[in-house]
């Protein structure tokens, strides 16, 4: 694979490949980018929009190279996303990787939650709070940063309100790569600390997340940021492929089997489309048996444009102004919404939406029955699972996997008013007795 | 192995071993408990203090069974602490385990921190923030809860100010085991939420941590808590063995080699003694080569009883009243202090102590150079590493491993006054230009 460098080809010393790693390196299966809208093809360039129709660009793979990948090859790899390097666009050579080595997060058997909901086919939680910065964003940032290096960029950047900011700054800190993270200035102090602690450039912008996003789009066009990869803008096609690894891992951790039903939270909708794509790729490569699966999407009522489009049978997604506590899902104009709708409809799935009270209850239900403490997005998924079961849209007799994409420690605020000590006592046996804990 | 049941032998259905797991199960190498003070031996009972001299009891292993353990056996096991089951007192049968499957956390190469400190022999961070509840306590609680089940207990309990509370409640939630966690009522709301979210019994006690601890000791003697295992009290000998796995993993992740120098934070001192014990066991079992290693202890200036004893050449540790931000290390009367001193002196190590400002700087240094965001205890260790290098007590030419025992997201408060955005702008290019980010 040859990636075309952007304007600036100067790279910092930290970005030079360590050729001392040696050993044989598998080829990348990526042969170019393809427009998901019009099908126009391009080289492996640093663009996310089609020059013909402005449609979104996606990585295009050589099917023969994909078919050459075996279970054994994957199983002989490291315990992280790079075990799937032969199915990814970049990172085949360990020396090329800019990464915290995320992935191979636990697939937790959720028997107690299954019993409560009446699910008899088996229920699992794919828990991405176990990633290095405790969200699934580590997967996409590892791909974006690695692609950025291969494309000749010397800096990385992102607009974010939380998980992405943490991950970009931590990746940059690990390898000594300059990074620029742009956040709305009214973020909670805790979230600011989580990104600022890595000692990278952190820019507070007086405006909404949409304002921040618009500003970074403008900055990407300036001379000063010519050598900067904005992880979910100019290297987005590579970035997005990181989400496929969550699908690969679910299948591998089930013993190389695709689950019948998967419930996935939706912000831009990208993660959902990539999990579906991962399953299709595994089937096409002959790595798993071709079984049927259904993909379900989860949104919060405060930001439900994909749910609304699904309910109304629309192919397009009408933007909304997001509200509500599931901030990591609050993308009002989801770039991959139409593609998410396609995957859901094609597989016979559905979309659920839940309000803030249900989200908090979802976090509590998951923690109480599995010991997994999810951020609000995980609460959305758990609450939507319950809703889908109650509505009869999810088959309780089929095996089901739900995705937890982030860590509860990052979104404590909505829980503070509703969870607390069950008893309060003085440090004496008589006080404990009065509280009813002992007779 | 036969474990002697306590008074009550009634077990809840959730605690019954699932005999359907089947397959051959390795024997436990534990043959009893032994007093570390007088050497008196006991069966595998639920006691932590010697009936002869009140000294601390420790698990005693059959050296022949330990020698039968091979690298291959370990490497064929799961990617968590249970790969070392043949070296642990309980949990050989997967159906017996009460666990979140912690362990096999990353050993992160810290080249950038090494370069800053002038370490040429190689530096690694063992990052236990990657455990399920994001601290090393998941290791010890998994051992304690599994032993509790084998000993016939039907409930688990703990006194804690943070990490232990999270871990006990999450373990209990995973398996549906009743638990009782006792915390000081003046804990920060965030820490209360982290333990309360699992929906277990959480008792706020109006008093200090010492008061809480005394209360749980009294409760352990009541009829109502006869069937309750207090994880670091009546099942402490089993609990403490969980820390050995951190030492095993370091050696395995280095390619079955013991590092020359290890820096370990000290609260009770137990973790330090168990890492040293793990290394000795690996040598005795013939799993690693017999090389020399030096164990270094790290304390905060606000709670430095072991450091003071070390500096003064004392064999006993004089209790102190803890202060300072490294709350997870604030044990003023460390139970394993004398044994930690012994391991440090026997191996030719040393003890460092750092104040709150140095601890915050340690957290920032580690995050900035490795992308690992540690809690205050990890800041202590990183700052002590710097001190030991500067004092010439740690050899910069020898390979060094430092232990991060917990997660920065749990102790954000001390960072809020000192880290924040590097720039603040309006959402316009002219404002970014005025801030000096572009020309």
């Amino acid at each position: 694979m040859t990636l075309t460098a952007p304007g600036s080809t100067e790279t910092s010393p930290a970005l030079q490949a360590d050729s001392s790693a040696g050993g044989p390196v598998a080829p990348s299966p990526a042969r170019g980018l393809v427009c998901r809208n019009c099908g126009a093809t391009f080289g492996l360039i640093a663009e996310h929009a089609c020059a013909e129709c402005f449609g979104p660009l996606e990585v295009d793979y050589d099917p023969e190279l994909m078919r050459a990948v075996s279970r054994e090859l994957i199983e002989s790899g490291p315990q992280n996303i790079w075990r799937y390097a032969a199915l990814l666009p970049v990172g085949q050579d360990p020396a090329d990787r800019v990464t915290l080595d995320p992935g191979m997060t636990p697939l937790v058997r959720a028997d107690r939650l299954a019993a409560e909901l009446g699910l008899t086919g088996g229920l699992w939680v794919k828990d991405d709070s176990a990633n290095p910065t405790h969200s699934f964003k580590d997967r996409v940032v590892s791909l974006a940063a690695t692609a950025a290096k291969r494309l000749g960029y010397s800096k990385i950047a992102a607009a974010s309100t939380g998980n992405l900011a943490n991950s970009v700054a931590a990746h940059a800190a690990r390898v000594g790569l300059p990074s620029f993270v742009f956040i709305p200035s009214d973020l909670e102090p805790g979230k600011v600390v989580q990104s600022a602690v890595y000692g990278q450039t952190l820019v507070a912008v007086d405006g909404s997340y949409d304002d921040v996003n618009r500003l970074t789009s403008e900055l990407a066009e300036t001379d000063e940021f010519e050598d900067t990869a904005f992880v979910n803008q100019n290297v987005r096609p590579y970035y997005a492929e990181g989400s496929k690894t969550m699908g690969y891992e679910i299948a591998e951790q089930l013993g190389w089997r695709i689950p019948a039903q998967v419930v996935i939270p939706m912000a831009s909708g990208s993660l959902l489309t990539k999990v579906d794509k991962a399953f299709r790729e595994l089937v096409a490569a002959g790595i798993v048996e071709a079984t049927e699966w259904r993909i379900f999407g989860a949104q919060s009522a405060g930001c439900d444009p994909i749910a609304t489009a699904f309910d109304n049978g629309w192919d397009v997604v009408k933007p909304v102004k997001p509200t509500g506590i599931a901030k990591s899902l609050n993308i009002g104009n989801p770039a991959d919404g139409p593609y998410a709708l396609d995957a859901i409809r094609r597989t016979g799935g559905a979309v659920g939406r839940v309000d803030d009270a249900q989200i908090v209850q979802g976090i509590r239900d998951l923690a109480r029955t599995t010991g997994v403490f999810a951020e609000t997005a995980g609460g959305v998924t758990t609450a939507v699972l319950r809703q889908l079961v109650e509505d009869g849209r999810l088959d309780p007799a089929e095996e089901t996997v739900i995705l937890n994409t982030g860590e509860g420690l990052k979104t404590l605020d909505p829980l503070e008013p509703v969870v607390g000590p069950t008893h309060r006592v003085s440090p004496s046996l008589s006080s404990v007795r009065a509280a009813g804990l002992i007779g």
Side-chain angles (χ1 to χ4, degrees), chain A:
Chain A
M1 179 191 62
T2 309
L3 283 84
T4 309
S8 164
T9 55
E10 236 177 281
T11 59
S12 78
L15 290 177
Q16 305 292 357
D18 174 10
S19 58
S20 67
V25 172
S28 166
R31 59 184 179 188
L33 299 184
V34 59
C35 175
R36 280 202 277 181
N37 186 44
C38 74
T41 57
F42 303 87
L44 289 160
I45 57 175
E47 291 290 347
H48 71 294
C50 175
E52 307 290 327
C53 74
F54 300 105
L57 297 181
E58 186 170 55
V59 176
D60 184 34
Y61 295 96
D62 180 331
E64 259 188 69
L65 286 176
M66 300 287 267
R67 271 196 301 274
V69 178
S70 66
R71 294 181 187 178
E72 293 67 31
L73 175 74
I74 294 166
E75 288 166 354
S76 69
Q79 289 291 323
N80 55 53
I81 59 167
W82 301 112
R83 68 202 280 106
Y84 306 106
L87 301 170
L88 296 173
V90 292
Q92 284 71 37
D93 185 344
D96 265 357
R97 296 171 193 158
V98 179
T99 184
L100 302 174
D101 291 329
M104 285 308 271
T105 55
L107 185 71
V108 176
R109 178 106 195 171
D111 288 345
R112 301 186 60 231
L113 183 57
E116 278 196 15
L117 299 178
L119 296 178
T120 55
L123 176 65
W124 304 82
V125 183
K126 177 64 174 170
D127 183 17
D128 251 22
S129 69
N131 275 320
T133 72
H134 309 308
S135 85
F136 87 105
K137 292 294 185 188
D138 288 334
R139 300 176 184 273
V140 286
V141 173
S142 278
L143 266 288
T146 299
K149 176 181 165 182
R150 282 300 301 271
L151 288 161
Y153 289 106
S154 57
K155 298 167 192 155
I156 56 175
S160 170
T161 63
N163 287 328
L164 185 58
N166 294 179
S167 185
V168 167
H171 274 78
R174 175 73 57 91
V175 295
L177 174 70
S179 74
F180 298 81
V181 171
F182 297 81
I183 56 173
S185 58
D186 63 353
L187 273 196
E188 303 91 321
K191 288 216 174 147
V192 176
V193 167
Q194 292 164 34
S195 295
V197 71
Y198 300 105
Q200 296 280 321
T201 302
L202 181 68
V203 184
V205 180
D206 292 326
S208 68
Y209 173 70
D210 286 334
D211 294 330
V212 179
N213 218 10
R214 198 176 321 114
L215 178 64
T216 55
S217 297
E218 290 172 23
L219 284 171
E221 303 301 320
T222 63
D223 288 349
E224 287 81 358
F225 283 92
E226 192 184 44
D227 57 350
T228 302
F230 287 78
V231 297
N232 54 356
Q233 294 175 15
N234 46 16
V235 292
R236 186 174 175 87
Y238 310 95
Y239 166 94
E241 292 294 283
S243 293
K244 288 196 311 185
T245 58
M246 221 165 161
Y248 297 150
E249 290 176 18
I250 290 168
E252 181 176 354
Q253 290 171 322
L254 286 174
W256 294 115
R257 195 179 73 243
I258 297 175
Q261 304 176 121
V262 191
V263 187
I264 304 174
M266 298 189 293
S268 74
S270 174
L271 174 62
L272 182 144
T273 67
K274 296 297 180 179
V275 170
D276 176 64
K277 189 182 181 203
F279 292 167
R280 286 186 282 124
E281 286 178 352
L282 290 177
V283 170
I287 295 171
V288 302
E289 209 184 316
T291 53
E292 293 202 349
W293 65 86
R294 293 197 293 157
I295 303 276
F296 296 83
Q299 291 209 296
S300 83
C303 181
D304 59 354
I306 306 176
T308 300
F310 181 82
D311 289 347
N312 291 300
W314 302 337
D315 288 333
V316 293
V317 175
K318 205 172 124 186
V320 302
K321 199 174 158 58
T323 60
I325 60 172
K327 291 184 185 171
S328 67
L329 300 183
N330 279 354
I331 296 186
N333 188 10
D336 290 279
Y339 305 97
L341 284 170
D342 174 63
I344 294 162
R345 287 174 177 145
R346 176 170 36 77
T347 62
V351 181
R353 65 160 74 66
V354 287
D355 65 26
D356 284 358
Q358 290 171 301
I359 294 167
V360 169
Q361 192 58 48
I363 294 172
R364 298 177 69 181
D365 287 344
L366 189 67
R368 181 174 48 77
T369 57
T370 69
V372 172
F373 181 21
E375 65 162 30
T376 44
V380 169
T381 310
T382 307
V384 164
L385 170 69
R386 179 183 290 275
Q387 183 185 73
L388 292 169
V389 176
E390 289 173 356
D391 292 354
R393 292 187 284 174
L394 190 131
D395 185 345
E398 293 277 15
E399 188 166 57
T400 304
V401 175
I402 64 174
L403 271 54
N404 174 38
T405 50
E407 169 59 46
L409 292 173
K410 294 193 187 187
T411 58
L412 294 173
D413 293 357
L415 289 164
E416 279 184 22
V418 290
V419 306
T422 53
H423 302 76
R424 182 159 182 170
V425 302
S426 299
S428 70
L429 288 182
S430 59
S431 175
V432 176
R433 194 167 288 122
L437 278 165
I438 56 177

